[in-house]
Amino acid sequence: MGRYYRLSKKITEEMAEEILKETLEIDDVEKAEFVEDNSKILVTTEKEKYPDVMTRIVNIFSRVGKGCELSFAGFEHP
């Protein structure tokens, strides 16, 4: 099951591409994609791996997105 995270600010298309590239390089990330005009990201990994995966992704967003933060926005419903 995936989880949605809302971005705290608008990012550029270039930032989104770099964030997605780095996120998908994380071994435990099964899927990652932006939705709703890049205002949210869907991340899929195993339930017990979310804390470690999201710590890394939050750092990627902060660095590449120049201070962009994430907040949990809900679960993906299959």
Side-chain angles (χ1 to χ4, degrees), residues 25-40:
E25 289 173 353
I26 300 171
D27 288 337
D28 295 322
V29 172
E30 296 169 14
K31 178 171 115 179
E33 63 185 11
F34 283 100
V35 295
E36 295 181 16
D37 197 29
N38 292 351
S39 66
K40 286 184 183 176

Side-chain angles (χ1 to χ4, degrees), residues 11-21 34 38 64:
I11 59 172
T12 66
E13 199 58 45
E14 293 77 20
M15 288 175 178
E17 289 174 15
E18 181 60 26
I19 288 168
L20 209 50
K21 176 183 167 287
F34 283 100
N38 292 351
V64 177

Side-chain angles (χ1 to χ4, degrees), residues 1 3 28 30 44-51 53:
M1 178 185 295
R3 296 180 184 186
D28 295 322
E30 296 169 14
T44 305
T45 190
E46 295 176 34
K47 184 178 180 179
E48 66 275 359
K49 296 187 178 177
Y50 270 103
V53 164

